[in-house]
Amino acid sequence: MSDKFFSDEISDKYSLRGRVFHKIRDDILNGKYKEHDELREAAIGEELGVSRTPVREAFRQLELEGLIHIVPNKGAYVTGITSKDVRDIYMIRAQLEGLCAKWATEHISEAQMQEMEENVYLAEFHAAKGHTEQIASLDNRFHEIMYEACASKMLEHSLKDFHQYVYRIRKQTLAQGARSSASNDEHRKIMEAIKEKDGERACELAKIHMLNAYDNICKKGLLD
């Protein structure tokens, strides 16, 4: 079987299943597959150059995450992320990002701090130029730096998943000049609090950042 997507080095079943799972999940979250679309094992297996077995296993994991619904003897259908899911994610993220920012003040390395500062400066530059793709990429990286700096693999893993779940809607909000500018300003304040080792302030600012992001989503009518 030809390998269209995965490296020839991948032989471990778990690694293959994991990669198939992440690819399909990304495709759902990025909008390739819409709500109620049927996912066909054979077609996806052929597209990715794998057998139906890792695709079937990925489907089971996606159902556990609530992204698809498997109907016995019929097929697998996309559930996706609902408006309530988005709200829940942002409310949970507000609490977890606050904790993450607080822990980052205690554990951030000099290199991570430098990258965070550079990230803020670059984001301001690209926001002024209206460079949407760069802004979205830098926004992702700002949060990733903070997740990595908190020194908790459990918290980092949870936050990265939540961050990915709302990727499309975050990208839409950051394409709007007013929100991207406000978001950058909020990032700067969080960065400064972390640099000053003010954990309580960093925690509060990170929470406010998430709540502001969700409020903007609602005001712009980006939820169904």
Side-chain angles (χ1 to χ4, degrees):
M1 178 180 294
S2 64
D3 189 345
K4 298 179 182 178
F5 180 74
F6 302 108
S7 168
D8 290 334
E9 296 178 0
I10 300 172
S11 58
D12 179 74
K13 182 180 178 182
Y14 178 82
S15 296
L16 181 60
R17 180 187 65 186
R19 291 186 179 226
V20 171
F21 162 73
H22 283 291
K23 179 62 169 68
I24 301 171
R25 184 176 73 166
D26 286 349
D27 286 343
I28 292 173
L29 296 176
N30 293 338
K32 177 178 178 179
Y33 301 119
K34 310 296 183 183
E35 187 176 0
H36 306 306
D37 279 357
E38 182 179 1
L39 300 179
R40 300 181 182 275
E41 289 179 9
I44 291 175
E46 183 178 355
E47 176 190 348
L48 302 182
V50 300
S51 70
R52 295 174 66 163
T53 300
V55 178
R56 189 177 302 120
E57 292 171 342
F59 280 6
R60 295 194 191 103
Q61 192 171 352
L62 288 164
E63 186 174 42
L64 289 174
E65 291 205 1
L67 293 177
I68 70 171
H69 176 55
I70 298 174
V71 181
N73 302 316
K74 287 190 176 182
Y77 300 87
V78 175
T79 303
I81 299 292
T82 67
S83 297
K84 183 181 183 301
D85 292 335
V86 173
R87 181 189 182 280
D88 291 349
I89 287 169
Y90 273 93
M91 295 307 104
I92 295 168
R93 278 186 71 193
Q95 300 304 314
L96 295 184
E97 294 250 356
L99 179 62
C100 181
K102 182 176 181 179
W103 286 357
T105 63
E106 302 169 7
H107 301 288
I108 194 166
S109 68
E110 185 176 340
Q112 288 169 333
M113 190 71 252
Q114 183 176 349
E115 185 182 358
M116 185 176 280
E117 289 183 279
E118 291 174 353
N119 178 283
V120 170
Y121 298 142
L122 281 172
E124 290 173 346
F125 170 80
H126 287 295
K129 299 291 184 180
H131 297 162
T132 305
E133 290 295 328
Q134 290 89 337
I135 292 168
S137 177
L138 287 163
D139 177 86
N140 283 339
R141 185 55 193 156
F142 178 89
H143 288 274
E144 287 175 355
I145 296 166
M146 193 168 70
Y147 301 161
E148 293 161 7
C150 79
S152 168
K153 64 181 181 181
M154 308 308 320
L155 184 55
E156 179 182 352
H157 175 74
S158 296
L159 282 168
K160 282 185 174 179
D161 275 349
F162 281 134
H163 201 59
Q164 182 64 21
Y165 288 158
V166 290
Y167 172 78
R168 268 200 308 154
I169 202 163
R170 286 190 298 104
K171 193 171 181 179
Q172 285 179 275
T173 62
L174 292 170
Q176 302 165 356
R179 179 54 201 163
S180 64
S181 178
S183 179
N184 290 342
D185 185 55
E186 290 162 14
H187 282 180
R188 173 181 284 280
K189 289 176 180 176
I190 295 168
M191 177 269 290
E192 290 172 347
I194 291 174
K195 187 175 184 178
E196 294 167 4
K197 302 297 183 182
D198 190 339
E200 294 302 323
R201 179 165 172 74
C203 177
E204 187 61 25
L205 288 170
K207 288 180 182 178
I208 292 171
H209 177 54
M210 285 297 100
L211 297 176
N212 285 347
Y214 180 71
D215 184 57
N216 181 72
I217 289 169
C218 295
K219 286 179 178 178
K220 298 299 181 181
L222 297 176
L223 297 178
D224 295 332

